Amino acid sequence: METMIKDKIKQVKKGDQSAFEDVVAFYQNRVYQICYRIIGNSHEAEDLAQEAFIRAYVNIHSFDTRRKFSTWLYRIATNITIDRIRKKKPDYFLDAQIKGTDGLDMYSQLPADQPLPEDEVESIELQNYIQEEIMKLPAKYRSVIALRFVDELSLNEISEVLDIPVGTVKTRIHRGREALRKRLRHV
Amino acid sequence: MACKNNNVYLMHKYLDGELTKKEEQQLRSHLQSCNACQHHFHELKRTVTLLKSNSHIQAPRNFTDRVINNLPKEKKRVSYMRWFKDHPVVTAAAIFFIFMFGSIFTAYDQDTQLSVTKNKNLIIQADNTVIVPEGITVEGDLVIKNGDLKIDGSVNGDVTIINGEHLRASAGDISGEIKQVNQIFEWIWYHIKDMAKSVFTLTYK
């Protein structure tokens, strides 16, 4: 898979857009998940993931093909997501509160044509609850948690993506995991 | 619970996949004896499982299309290149024709100078008329480009005149054929025949 992506990236570097289509298709869910875990809102996550891919395309010439593409892509995605949080207006939090009261928001945001058996509702509510608990952590913890559990990045890779020392990554993962343990123990 | 701090640290190391063999044994034996830590460890593992279950978080349909539609336009050159890659036979044929006609036309256009097969007996006049003088016999084939030919003597071979005329004022004698090439297509045809001829000569030699 890595070599396939490498070849595609080389084509993209030559300006081939159709090769980039395959790259997007391959990474879209993981980038979207990372953005979602950090921002906690599906619309914004989509918007951010899209922007991440566009930036990756525009700046592809600055990507060193000897390195791992996913690391570079995730770095773009986490950077723009954290930037967005910094610029955010406080009215967003009203939205979050509404979500907490009924948990149906995600449900209504799902595409209508996706089949949704009754027994899945509970797990979606559970997932919403997990995300809410993640949102209570500071953003810098959320980005570490997102990278660690979406694509199971190693501590070294996370340190590279976020440009922070491995020791810091370790501390944040430990603390984040411990905090979530306390909050999710009753689930 | 004085035992906890160090063991919790080991649990996290375990979850990060960084535990050494020795530490793993230490943690294992402690977990067997300590209920509180066992419970803690179980909760941590469950938390990790919950965090990893994100299959429901999926990029919306058409996400890829939307990204592609929002990209800046790709360079024209690349889309041509891709078309050529998809149609290799057409590309090969096109390149062949470009080279072939290209070389022939350039050769045709550039040659406006008089050129004559080398022979010391020929007389070349200022008005681009080549004369085979009376009483002289030219041995071998004669090719004249961009000039007229007047034969008073005789030629022992074929005569080809390109972009010129054979002035028949006198009764010259040609033992071979006489060919006049004036039109561009004849010129091309002449070239092809010439090429074929030289190829066959090479093979038969």
Side-chain angles (χ1 to χ4, degrees):
Chain A
M1 216 62 227
E2 268 295 305
T3 48
M4 187 276 264
I5 291 298
K6 269 213 164 97
D7 287 346
K8 294 281 174 201
I9 297 301
K10 275 176 196 159
Q11 283 168 265
V12 176
K13 273 190 170 235
K14 287 175 195 156
D16 187 346
Q17 249 180 28
S18 72
F20 193 65
E21 205 171 323
D22 300 331
V23 175
V24 176
F26 186 71
Y27 283 111
Q28 57 176 357
N29 281 335
R30 272 171 282 179
V31 171
Y32 176 78
Q33 283 166 357
I34 289 169
C35 294
Y36 178 76
R37 282 296 194 214
I38 303 173
I39 203 91
N41 169 303
S42 54
H43 284 298
E44 280 191 280
E46 184 191 340
D47 190 38
L48 290 163
Q50 193 172 319
E51 198 182 327
F53 280 113
I54 292 169
R55 281 206 199 174
Y57 179 80
V58 172
N59 297 306
I60 197 76
H61 55 88
S62 69
F63 169 65
D64 179 356
T65 38
R66 285 166 300 179
R67 303 179 70 183
K68 214 171 160 186
F69 178 71
S70 59
T71 309
W72 188 70
L73 180 64
Y74 295 161
R75 185 177 189 143
I76 297 172
T78 49
N79 279 347
I80 58 176
T81 310
I82 288 167
D83 270 4
R84 176 76 62 95
I85 292 169
R86 284 195 192 124
K87 286 176 198 159
K88 233 178 207 265
K89 292 167 199 162
D91 64 2
Y92 160 74
F93 294 105
L94 294 172
D95 186 30
Q97 265 186 350
I98 296 161
K99 233 177 162 181
T101 50
D102 63 355
L104 281 174
D105 269 22
M106 262 302 281
Y107 185 82
S108 57
Q109 279 168 18
L110 283 168
D113 53 350
Q114 187 174 317
L116 192 71
E118 281 306 307
D119 53 2
E120 255 184 40
V121 176
E122 194 193 303
S123 95
I124 283 169
E125 280 172 3
L126 171 64
Q127 289 298 338
N128 283 344
Y129 179 72
I130 293 170
Q131 184 60 32
E132 276 168 37
E133 293 306 319
I134 292 175
M135 292 311 289
K136 287 174 187 165
L137 297 173
K140 57 186 183 179
Y141 282 78
R142 296 206 295 272
S143 47
V144 174
I145 295 278
L147 292 168
R148 180 72 183 141
F149 297 113
V150 167
D151 201 17
E152 298 193 33
L153 258 58
S154 72
L155 302 183
N156 281 324
E157 280 175 306
I158 296 173
S159 117
E160 204 182 318
V161 171
L162 297 174
D163 202 17
I164 52 175
V166 181
T168 312
V169 175
K170 230 178 260 188
T171 314
R172 286 183 189 169
I173 287 180
H174 291 191
R175 285 190 193 154
R177 205 153 38 197
E178 205 56 51
L180 289 168
R181 177 190 70 88
K182 281 174 197 151
R183 285 165 188 170
L184 299 174
R185 57 156 49 125
H186 305 297
V187 176
Chain B
M1 271 200 257
C3 67
K4 244 189 163 177
N5 267 339
N6 184 43
N7 285 302
V8 167
Y9 177 69
L10 290 181
M11 288 176 206
H12 282 288
K13 265 186 105 173
Y14 169 83
L15 293 171
D16 291 339
E18 291 197 322
L19 213 56
T20 64
K21 270 265 154 63
K22 202 183 158 198
E23 287 172 322
E24 198 180 329
Q25 254 169 5
Q26 192 190 329
L27 179 65
R28 203 179 288 259
S29 64
H30 178 78
L31 285 178
Q32 277 169 352
S33 62
C34 179
N35 255 337
C37 283
Q38 210 176 51
H39 190 65
H40 192 115
F41 189 52
H42 176 75
E43 282 178 353
L44 277 178
K45 284 216 283 196
R46 195 172 133 70
T47 305
V48 169
T49 312
L50 287 173
L51 291 174
K52 277 185 184 168
S53 61
N54 48 27
S55 54
H56 70 292
I57 311 172
Q58 294 222 330
R61 283 164 191 225
N62 310 325
F63 179 85
T64 306
D65 290 341
R66 257 176 272 170
V67 170
I68 298 299
N69 289 336
N70 280 311
L71 291 182
K73 282 265 175 284
E74 78 175 336
K75 294 174 202 155
K76 268 265 162 59
R77 190 173 60 86
V78 177
S79 52
Y80 288 144
M81 287 310 287
R82 197 167 50 241
W83 188 88
F84 284 140
K85 257 186 205 164
D86 292 344
H87 304 86
V89 176
V90 180
T91 310
I95 290 170
F96 173 78
F97 277 106
I98 288 168
F99 275 112
M100 178 162 161
F101 285 105
S103 63
I104 290 170
F105 282 127
T106 40
Y108 184 84
D109 281 348
Q110 282 167 0
D111 277 348
T112 48
Q113 290 260 301
L114 170 73
S115 79
V116 185
T117 312
K118 241 189 176 173
N119 194 307
K120 58 182 176 186
N121 296 321
L122 293 174
I123 296 166
I124 299 164
Q125 288 184 335
D127 62 343
N128 285 355
T129 306
V130 180
I131 298 171
V132 181
E134 247 186 285
I136 294 286
T137 304
V138 177
E139 294 291 335
D141 297 346
L142 198 56
V143 177
I144 292 149
K145 264 191 217 171
N146 305 314
D148 299 335
L149 177 68
K150 193 175 171 192
I151 302 173
D152 292 334
S154 62
V155 178
N156 200 5
D158 296 344
V159 172
T160 308
I161 305 163
I162 297 154
N163 277 347
E165 270 180 75
H166 179 214
L167 308 171
R168 296 164 195 274
S170 58
D173 179 39
I174 302 165
S175 68
E177 292 176 54
I178 179 155
K179 276 184 287 184
Q180 271 176 274
V181 181
N182 282 319
Q183 300 294 314
I184 192 151
F185 287 107
E186 285 184 53
W187 162 249
I188 292 165
W189 178 234
Y190 167 77
H191 253 278
I192 293 169
K193 272 208 291 194
D194 200 44
M195 222 191 298
K197 225 190 242 174
S198 58
V199 168
F200 284 119
T201 342
L202 274 176
T203 28
Y204 288 132
K205 256 180 192 171

